[in-house]
Amino acid sequence: MPKDSRSDNFNRTPESLNAYQLVQPGDLVVNRMKAWQGSLGVSSHRGIVSPDYEILRPTTADADPPYLHWLLRSRPLIDQYGMRSTGIRPSQWRLYWDQMKTIEVVLPPLTEQRAIADYLDHETGQIDTLIAKQEQLIATLRERRSSLVDQVLLQDDIERVPLRRVADVIDCAHVTATFVDDDRSYPVASIRECQGKVVDLSSCRHTTRDFYDLLRAGGREPRIGDLLFVRNVSVGLVSVVAPGTRDFAVGQETVLLRRTGEINTDYLRYALTTSVVRYEIEGRMIGSTFRRINVPAIRTLPIPLPPPAEQRRAVEHLDEQTSKIDVLIAKAERFIELSKERRTALITAAVTGQIDVRASA
């Protein structure tokens, strides 16, 4: 798809495009780094892509491009890409043509290929429509959640102070730490970009195979009640170190916030998600390829600071109201997850002949 059709792609296009590759309609474009996640497809556009993609062009008239688009994105083929990718860990995997070209594929007669493609175009289109409606619902609910936080915390009579007045901002150690591969799962602060949704650190878990181990790097061992602030997303992803949390993984984009003044930890978590703070974060982002807000700028973020008793009342009210919204968001996210599973299963069943779609098509 065209890059400018996405609002969530923050990668900067380099000044020189000399190394970029031309893509013609009908070409299969493969992301070498993420093929094992299904990041590939037949293009309907003429354009250019970065050098880290493979551009593949059919060499036979026996292959229908729309059918190839579905076949090569089916689960059995994606599993093959993972088996043939090279690299120490998933974040460094690459799939090269020398390995990809050895994968065997089944090509039924052209009439059947076209029937399968037509069937999947129709069926997945309906699923995608349902997913889009749920995504819009989630966006609306998140806007409602943000508005609720703003209504409570951004009142005219509440003083705003720089973050450094109420909390120490401790940078993560910028070192290449030893990678942990012990088959355990650790809570992770930056596992997902939640677009303003508050994530409890204790509920975010991921195997360390996908992360560098920066546990307690540089002696900065987080304490219960500390906040972890992810500084490379404009919304300010904030997590709380919860009771019972021991080992966890953080990335170099994470800073630790430890309260020093009279501010409630849960209140500070909400304060860091207000529209005023989000606006300031976006305005202070630097960098082209890797955008982030620097630590000195984080220390000056404006935090609304009412008296402690008002902070507690605000937290109680927001916890009660936002929990209802979060339940609705979770239900919509679960619907999307199930719909995507259904979509994947449908594609695999159609291209492998588990269901006969010729009559339906």
Side-chain angles (χ1 to χ4, degrees):
M1 59 186 67
K3 181 178 178 179
D4 59 9
S5 69
R6 296 284 296 270
S7 60
D8 58 348
N9 188 338
F10 302 108
N11 293 330
R12 299 291 185 179
T13 302
E15 292 184 6
S16 174
L17 302 175
N18 292 339
Y20 272 49
Q21 306 173 86
L22 178 65
V23 177
Q24 300 284 8
D27 287 352
L28 173 67
V29 183
V30 182
N31 185 326
R32 293 192 189 108
M33 296 179 293
K34 297 181 179 180
W36 61 279
Q37 295 177 312
S39 184
L40 73 164
V42 174
S43 177
S44 58
H45 306 282
R46 185 177 188 273
I48 57 175
V49 293
S50 88
D52 210 24
Y53 288 77
E54 296 277 8
I55 310 301
L56 310 178
R57 191 158 294 154
T59 58
T60 174
D62 295 332
D64 182 55
Y67 168 77
L68 285 179
H69 178 80
W70 294 116
L71 172 68
L72 296 171
R73 291 163 62 87
S74 64
R75 174 50 56 189
L77 271 294
I78 292 173
D79 290 343
Q80 290 291 325
Y81 308 148
M83 292 170 57
R84 287 169 167 76
S85 294
T86 57
I88 298 175
R89 56 184 70 96
S91 61
Q92 296 179 342
W93 281 358
R94 297 288 189 278
L95 177 66
Y96 295 100
W97 176 238
D98 284 347
Q99 294 297 320
M100 187 177 182
K101 71 181 181 182
T102 63
I103 299 173
E104 293 185 354
V105 296
V106 177
L107 290 180
L110 275 173
T111 54
E112 292 186 20
Q113 292 182 43
R114 288 168 184 158
I116 291 171
D118 290 343
Y119 172 82
L120 289 175
D121 285 345
H122 178 266
E123 296 297 320
T124 59
Q126 291 185 319
I127 295 175
D128 290 344
T129 297
L130 293 175
I131 290 175
K133 289 181 179 179
Q134 292 298 308
E135 290 174 338
Q136 181 57 52
L137 172 61
I138 291 173
T140 301
L141 289 170
R142 285 177 175 162
E143 289 175 4
R144 185 184 304 173
R145 194 184 196 285
S146 296
S147 297
L148 179 62
V149 174
D150 282 355
Q151 289 171 12
V152 175
L153 301 191
L154 298 184
Q155 299 179 24
D156 293 337
D157 59 341
I158 297 180
E159 178 190 13
R160 297 177 190 174
V161 302
L163 178 60
R164 64 171 176 264
R165 179 170 154 182
V166 295
D168 285 335
V169 181
I170 305 170
D171 197 6
C172 179
H174 292 269
V175 296
T176 302
T178 303
F179 184 77
V180 171
D181 187 5
D182 55 10
D183 292 325
R184 293 178 59 192
S185 293
Y186 294 95
V188 179
S190 56
I191 191 173
R192 54 193 292 201
E193 294 180 12
C194 299
Q195 300 181 358
K197 176 182 175 185
V198 175
V199 176
D200 183 351
L201 179 65
S202 63
S203 66
C204 277
R205 307 192 71 85
H206 203 285
T207 59
T208 55
R209 282 196 172 94
D210 286 346
F211 293 88
Y212 285 97
D213 172 33
L214 293 176
L215 312 181
R216 304 184 181 90
R220 297 170 175 84
E221 182 171 354
R223 305 170 184 169
I224 294 174
D226 287 347
L227 297 178
L228 294 170
F229 181 93
V230 182
R231 62 191 185 96
N232 66 339
V233 290
S234 60
V235 295
L237 174 58
V238 184
S239 301
V240 179
V241 179
T245 301
R246 294 180 60 84
D247 296 336
F248 57 90
V250 296
Q252 293 191 18
E253 75 281 3
T254 306
V255 296
L256 187 70
L257 308 183
R258 179 166 294 159
R259 68 187 186 92
T260 57
E262 290 188 355
I263 191 165
N264 182 292
T265 297
D266 291 320
Y267 177 86
L268 179 57
R269 181 191 64 183
Y270 281 118
L272 288 166
T273 64
T274 62
S275 61
V276 169
V277 172
R278 294 199 306 271
Y279 176 81
E280 292 292 335
I281 292 173
E282 180 62 31
R284 301 178 191 189
M285 283 280 189
I286 63 170
S288 54
T289 302
F290 178 74
R291 300 185 74 235
R292 74 277 183 197
I293 179 172
N294 280 342
V295 171
I298 296 175
R299 293 190 174 107
T300 62
L301 291 175
I303 303 299
L305 186 66
E310 292 185 23
Q311 294 178 36
R312 290 192 294 272
R313 285 194 293 269
V315 169
E316 290 173 359
H317 176 71
L318 288 174
D319 282 349
E320 179 184 0
Q321 297 301 316
T322 59
S323 64
K324 300 174 183 177
I325 298 175
D326 290 342
V327 167
L328 296 176
I329 291 175
K331 288 181 178 179
E333 289 176 333
R334 179 57 177 161
F335 179 90
I336 291 174
E337 180 183 350
L338 293 174
S339 297
K340 289 181 177 180
E341 290 176 1
R342 162 68 178 160
R343 191 180 190 276
T344 300
L346 189 66
I347 294 170
T348 299
V351 301
T352 58
Q354 297 176 38
I355 55 175
D356 187 346
V357 303
R358 289 173 293 185
S360 300

